[in-house]
Amino acid sequence: MARLYEEFTLCGLQAGGDGGVRAVEPARTGCVLVTREERTVTVYKVSDQKPLGSWTVKQTQKISCPAVYNDQTGEYVAVHDHKVLWIWKDDDANLEKAFKATLTADVYRIHTLPKAEPLVLFERGSVRRLDDLLSAPQQELENVLSKDEVIRWSAGLLEAGSPLILFVTEKDGIFQLYTQKLNPNVQHGYKLDLGDEMGYPLSFALSLEKECTALMCLYSTGCVYKIQLPSNRDSAEEEWVLPQTLLLKLPGCVDSLISAALLALDEIHIAVLGAPQSHQCAVKDSLSIWNTRFQTLQTWKELPEGTSGQLWCYNGKLFIPHGKALTVIPFTCETSSLAAVLGKLKQPSATVKPLSPVMNWNAMLQDQQTGEPQLAVTINPAESTPSRNLRSRKRQNVSTQSQPRALDLTEIKTGTNEKIDEQLTLLLSNPLETNAQLMIAQIATILVSRCMAQNKFYPQSVLVKLLQTRALSYSLCPDVIAVALDKADYYLLQLCLQQFPDIPESVLCACLKFFLSASEADLEKVIVDLGSVASYMELDQSSSKPGQNMEIVENGFSSIPVEEESSDAPAEKQAQGSWEFDVNSVCPVGPKKAALLNEILLASYSETFLLPPLKDLSAPQVMLFLQYLQYLYLKQCQTVNTVLPGDRIPTVSQVLDWINLLLDAHFMVLVMMSEAHGLLDHFNRFIRSQVRFYSELNKIEGSLQKLHQLQPQNDGLYSIEVIEIF
């Protein structure tokens, strides 16, 4: 069986111009490389839909070959203007400074294979390794294809550990399949047997079979044919015609398909985009998954905003340009049997002990219809009834162990807090193995929905237990933070911030605004995990002694302002000492609010998406947050390695990044506030002291480099050498 899950948007697309998608290729783990038409290449992290890097070529240039990621070197490879090869890395901000190589022929596509060197396929049919081209870019290339023969599709795979490139060409309505093997260098050409009744080939896909290499083709008549490649390719026959066998006939298609896409998901499941899934439904803008073994429709999804006939698959997700967005649709495919397809799969024998926990899929699928869903959870018989090692009771013990006790979700939907807590304790008392995350997410969704519908219902202890399982995320249960904000549950919000890696920036700012607006008196009444906040707040008491004024110079930070160090500063300014970093300053917030603000600082974010909601903070909230950030930085500067003791404490880089974000978002407002002038003056002088510190380091850079050239004299005795730098 196959299933399509709820889609989400990876990125927006502009209408026309550079807005279309040319290709989606896998990048590093959890990321994809999106090449837009003609000019832009962007790396996205799929889990949180955030761009990690983007590169654009000049107006006069055009990306003619989609970019790929070389996992062997961590580099990106693309071709612009058909012949210019571009290679760059993540830290290359400007493509003009990247490595370039001009080739002698036009490139059709670059193919990457797992743990193998990328292969370059040229438009005239020749294939080269990328390293061979980089060593000799101007090498002569053979013309494999005849005149007016054009490549329509290509793919790469590993066959017996050796790379193999397949590409289909067309000339005057005749299609041919070529295979190119580089180790050893062997190429074969085959003619595809196209009958008159087949129609025109629209899409090709590589069949994912382990035993042999096969090709699938979707024709305009709605027929999917399978083309088996011969195992013995050493024949000297010049024209080898490959027969095709009918794999699947799509309903409602009689020479009516114009633009459609075909993709193999596993050995028996295929995805079809742009074809109707039944005779009754003539909607062509839909995605469907078919079982080719039994020729049955598994699932389908309508795409009302239209598609471009493009379809890609990576890591259990389908990527489709849908309307004005690149849509991602997760899917799963399970091994099917004829009994399962016909709905006559026999239940397992009662003598077989089920796994713990066991998901009751029928109850979950009929959740909204029957109103009586259940989750089957195996209960340890030793906890329910005492067992004795008697031979006469052996049969009875086996039967008792094999019967799961059901967790009734009706109690979750309608029961009291005590009943729900009892049911959840029953679930969590057993080892969670398969589908645990799905079960916990469903329970959390039901409880959160009840909280939003019933004002007096709020099972706080149950929600805390669910979060402590570490099986939830924001994408699985997005409303839990909204409920916690509505109920002013600071502890639940703290747990969400600690365990949710995918919180959107707008929700993160809503939590920040809520924490800053909370009064210290209200926080005294609630439970908050202080973590290691007390460890550095105790420094206030230990370091602030009356009558003790000590200058601290560490990590480029000095309590003496820049003007006092400079001889050009006015004497009156030096005498006044109107500004200095108070290393013995007191935290502007209480320990509980500090612990909550630390969770905000430790959360992941993207500056592009964080700045707009960050501007919604009020001026007093910005002032308070900046004062706390300044306090954190001063405490970090008091330590030798700028790291405060304990866990869940922001680093210096995180503190400085948030200071920069707040100043970028509210600089004009802060300039207009008279009470903020002192704070801005502090930051200004601090930056100048940092610039002075690093400029002094640059002056002794040459002397420090010469230290590596000194050869220490080893006389066999212990000695201490003092090197003076003038």
Side-chain angles (χ1 to χ4, degrees), residues 377 407-408 411-412 417-430 432 439-440 443-444 447 459-467 469:
V377 181
L407 176 65
D408 192 359
E411 291 289 347
I412 306 258
N417 292 356
E418 293 75 13
K419 289 290 185 180
I420 296 173
D421 198 358
E422 180 182 349
Q423 292 286 335
L424 184 63
T425 304
L426 181 67
L427 172 64
L428 299 181
S429 62
N430 296 275
L432 300 178
M439 289 191 300
I440 294 175
I443 295 173
L447 293 177
Q460 197 261 1
S461 60
V462 177
L463 293 175
V464 169
K465 289 181 180 179
L466 290 174
L467 285 172
T469 61

Side-chain angles (χ1 to χ4, degrees), residues 63 178 243 249 252 288 308 445 448 450 568 587 628 676 716:
I63 298 178
Y178 292 86
K249 171 64 177 177
S288 56
S308 59
T445 303
V448 170
R450 283 192 64 185
D568 298 335
C587 183
Y628 177 67

Side-chain angles (χ1 to χ4, degrees), residues 365-382:
L365 294 176
Q366 300 173 3
D367 186 3
Q368 302 299 331
Q369 300 176 2
T370 63
E372 298 180 356
Q374 292 181 343
L375 292 179
V377 181
T378 300
I379 305 299
N380 190 352

Side-chain angles (χ1 to χ4, degrees), residues 326-348:
L326 179 59
T327 301
V328 183
I329 304 178
F331 71 93
T332 55
C333 294
E334 300 177 2
T335 304
S336 301
S337 62
L338 182 59
V341 172
L342 298 178
K344 298 181 179 181
L345 183 64
K346 292 183 179 181
Q347 297 298 325

Side-chain angles (χ1 to χ4, degrees), residues 80-258:
H80 78 85
D81 298 327
H82 303 286
K83 293 183 179 180
V84 182
L85 197 65
W86 244 336
I87 300 177
W88 73 95
K89 290 189 175 183
D90 287 313
D91 52 358
D92 293 330
N94 189 357
L95 285 180
E96 293 302 319
K97 298 181 180 180
F99 176 82
K100 299 179 183 178
T102 303
L103 308 178
T104 58
D106 294 346
V107 176
Y108 175 76
R109 186 62 62 94
I110 302 175
H111 291 281
T112 57
L113 300 174
K115 299 180 181 180
E117 185 182 343
L119 302 177
V120 181
L121 173 63
F122 290 86
E123 292 186 356
R124 303 315 305 159
S126 56
V127 180
R128 292 291 188 275
R129 290 186 176 87
L130 179 62
D131 284 352
D132 295 341
L133 288 175
L134 296 180
S135 60
Q138 295 298 315
Q139 61 180 281
E140 295 185 3
L141 302 172
E142 67 278 6
N143 290 329
V144 178
L145 307 183
S146 60
K147 187 179 180 181
D148 299 331
E149 193 173 1
V150 182
I151 299 178
R152 296 300 185 191
W153 172 87
S154 66
L157 74 155
L158 290 176
E159 187 181 65
S162 300
L164 177 67
I165 294 294
L166 298 89
F167 56 96
V168 177
T169 65
E170 179 190 7
K171 179 182 179 182
D172 299 331
I174 300 176
F175 288 81
Q176 285 192 317
L177 172 65
Y178 292 86
T179 62
Q180 174 71 56
K181 206 169 186 178
L182 297 180
N183 189 20
N185 192 357
V186 179
Q187 186 179 70
H188 294 282
Y190 311 95
K191 182 180 179 181
L192 301 184
D193 183 15
L194 302 181
D196 297 335
E197 71 284 355
M198 292 183 180
Y200 185 81
L202 296 178
S203 178
F204 295 91
L206 197 62
S207 179
L208 303 179
E209 297 185 3
K210 299 179 181 179
E211 294 80 8
C212 56
T213 304
L215 193 67
M216 292 187 298
C217 179
L218 173 62
Y219 289 85
S220 58
T221 56
C223 296
V224 179
Y225 284 86
K226 181 179 179 181
I227 307 169
Q228 195 77 34
L229 270 68
S231 57
N232 183 13
R233 301 175 195 154
D234 297 331
S235 175
E237 187 176 352
E238 295 183 359
E239 188 176 76
W240 195 338
V241 180
L242 295 180
Q244 304 187 44
T245 57
L246 181 62
L247 198 63
L248 177 67
K249 171 64 177 177
L250 299 177
C253 301
V254 183
D255 200 16
S256 59
L257 295 182
I258 300 177

Side-chain angles (χ1 to χ4, degrees), residues 262-429:
L262 174 69
L263 203 60
L265 304 180
D266 57 20
E267 294 185 8
I268 60 174
H269 291 95
I270 63 172
V272 179
L273 177 68
Q277 68 278 358
S278 66
H279 292 283
Q280 291 78 17
C281 182
V283 178
K284 293 185 178 180
D285 289 327
S286 63
L287 173 69
S288 56
I289 297 181
W290 295 80
N291 186 318
T292 58
R293 179 179 297 173
F294 304 112
Q295 299 185 358
T296 55
L297 175 66
Q298 302 288 287
T299 183
W300 71 282
K301 182 183 291 289
E302 185 177 351
L303 304 172
E305 297 183 14
T307 62
S308 59
Q310 296 171 293
L311 179 64
W312 300 276
C313 177
Y314 169 65
N315 197 21
K317 298 177 180 64
L318 296 172
F319 297 81
I320 306 171
H322 179 212
K324 296 182 179 180
L326 179 59
T327 301
V328 183
I329 304 178
F331 71 93
T332 55
C333 294
E334 300 177 2
T335 304
S336 301
S337 62
L338 182 59
V341 172
L342 298 178
K344 298 181 179 181
L345 183 64
K346 292 183 179 181
Q347 297 298 325
S349 175
T351 59
V352 181
K353 184 177 180 179
L355 293 176
S356 173
V358 179
M359 180 64 64
N360 190 339
W361 288 103
N362 293 329
M364 294 188 64
L365 294 176
Q366 300 173 3
D367 186 3
Q368 302 299 331
Q369 300 176 2
T370 63
E372 298 180 356
Q374 292 181 343
L375 292 179
V377 181
T378 300
I379 305 299
N380 190 352
E383 299 177 0
S384 56
T385 57
S387 60
R388 297 172 59 187
N389 295 327
L390 296 179
R391 187 179 301 272
S392 60
R393 305 186 67 176
K394 180 177 180 181
R395 182 185 301 272
Q396 181 180 354
N397 289 339
V398 174
S399 177
T400 303
Q401 293 178 5
S402 63
Q403 295 179 357
R405 182 175 175 182
L407 176 65
D408 192 359
L409 287 184
T410 306
E411 291 289 347
I412 306 258
K413 283 192 170 184
T414 60
T416 62
N417 292 356
E418 293 75 13
K419 289 290 185 180
I420 296 173
D421 198 358
E422 180 182 349
Q423 292 286 335
L424 184 63
T425 304
L426 181 67
L427 172 64
L428 299 181
S429 62

Side-chain angles (χ1 to χ4, degrees), residues 500-526:
F500 288 2
D502 54 348
I503 299 178
E505 285 77 1
S506 58
V507 179
L508 188 66
C509 285
C511 295
L512 173 61
K513 190 173 183 179
F514 182 70
F515 294 156
L516 292 172
S517 61
S519 63
E520 297 293 344
D522 293 338
L523 290 176
E524 288 295 332
K525 305 174 184 178
V526 300

